[in-house]
Amino acid sequence: MIELLQELRKKVVIGFVGGSDLVKISEQLSVTGEPAINMFDYAFAENGLTAFKDGKQLESQSFIKFVGEDRYKVLVNFILHYLADIDIPIKRGTFVEFRNGMINVSPIGRNASIQERIEFEKYDKQHGIRTEFVKVLREKFADYGLTFAIGGQISFDVFPNGWDKTYALRHVQDEGFEEIHFFGDKTYQGGNDYEIFTDERTIGHSVQNPLDTARIIRELFF
């Protein structure tokens, strides 16, 4: 896949956007040892709240400044109490991860192993743990101006409205691109790819896995 992206970069401008912080995204993408921000023309971590163009950092935003310390404590305390009462097969550690532009909430904990993540994802699909959790938070904190978006295998993101992945488009919308193609797997409503997938500024592609992504890229650009 990395080799295909390198060839693609010779034809078009490429970038990535993810909800995780830059360190975690880099761990996933830097399989060759080269920094991820050097492998792409644009790099958008935390939905673009941390952004790079040609390896140089752009202006960033802060979740805590938007919410405020007092309201944040009310939110995180409620989340922690709710997490304590969830009955799931196993729990590990790091249930709430504070990031620059959002918080990430995981019922099983982000310290879960790869196999534990796979098992939780299966369990979650059957029992709707994250879906119900998000529903409760949307109702409880309706006045906070926040979006709750399920993403990945084990967690969901919490961020200000409009700070979903469409935030990354602010960095490219005036660059004169004829088309902006987006590839994502959580493109259903409530998934963390939904907003940018359906945005009128993008051409969205719903994919299942890297092989599916590679197939579409070859069809479109080669």
Side-chain angles (χ1 to χ4, degrees):
M1 186 67 186
I2 296 299
E3 292 78 7
L4 176 62
L5 291 176
Q6 290 173 341
E7 290 300 312
L8 179 64
R9 194 178 182 188
K10 296 175 182 178
K11 296 175 175 287
V12 297
V13 174
I14 66 172
F16 66 78
V17 55
S20 297
D21 60 32
L22 186 61
V23 172
K24 289 186 174 60
I25 294 177
S26 296
E27 289 174 354
Q28 295 175 315
L29 295 178
S30 301
V31 294
T32 63
E34 184 177 0
I37 61 173
N38 295 337
M39 297 164 57
F40 296 81
D41 301 291
Y42 287 92
F44 301 124
E46 300 183 52
N47 292 348
L49 299 170
T50 299
F52 291 81
K53 177 184 179 182
D54 297 328
K56 298 179 181 179
Q57 188 165 7
L58 305 175
E59 183 181 0
S60 63
Q61 295 289 348
S62 169
F63 176 83
I64 198 66
K65 287 181 181 179
F66 176 89
V67 176
E69 290 288 355
D70 290 339
R71 295 209 306 169
Y72 174 69
K73 285 190 292 184
V74 174
L75 172 65
V76 78
N77 284 342
F78 181 88
I79 289 173
L80 291 171
H81 280 293
Y82 190 100
L83 285 166
D85 292 334
I86 290 179
D87 184 19
I88 56 177
I90 60 170
K91 291 183 180 180
R92 292 300 179 250
T94 311
F95 301 99
V96 178
E97 183 177 77
F98 182 84
R99 300 173 181 169
N100 183 55
M102 67 180 73
I103 59 173
N104 178 266
V105 181
S106 174
I108 187 176
R110 296 196 62 84
N111 292 347
S113 68
I114 293 175
Q115 185 57 42
E116 289 167 346
R117 287 166 177 252
I118 293 172
E119 292 301 320
F120 173 79
E121 185 177 27
K122 293 178 182 177
Y123 184 88
D124 186 46
K125 286 179 179 178
Q126 293 178 340
H127 299 277
I129 301 298
R130 288 184 292 176
T131 299
E132 181 60 27
F133 198 166
V134 162
K135 179 183 177 183
V136 170
L137 289 172
R138 284 175 179 156
E139 294 173 353
K140 177 71 176 178
F141 297 96
D143 61 332
Y144 267 45
L146 297 175
T147 294
F148 303 87
I150 296 171
Q153 295 175 299
I154 63 169
S155 64
F156 60 88
D157 297 325
V158 183
F159 47 82
N161 293 337
W163 288 20
D164 50 63
K165 288 181 179 176
T166 60
Y167 193 94
L169 297 176
R170 302 185 189 191
H171 300 294
V172 299
Q173 63 186 6
D174 296 324
E175 294 292 304
F177 297 124
E178 294 181 4
E179 296 178 341
I180 300 175
H181 291 259
F182 171 78
F183 299 80
D185 62 339
K186 298 294 189 295
T187 56
Y188 52 85
Q189 190 164 7
N192 66 352
D193 293 327
Y194 176 77
E195 288 81 7
I196 191 170
F197 173 74
T198 58
D199 193 283
E200 62 181 11
R201 292 169 290 179
T202 69
I203 299 172
H205 305 277
S206 186
V207 296
Q208 301 300 317
N209 50 52
L211 289 177
D212 198 23
T213 304
R215 175 185 60 80
I216 298 174
I217 287 175
R218 290 192 179 95
E219 291 174 355
L220 290 172
F221 302 107
F222 291 91

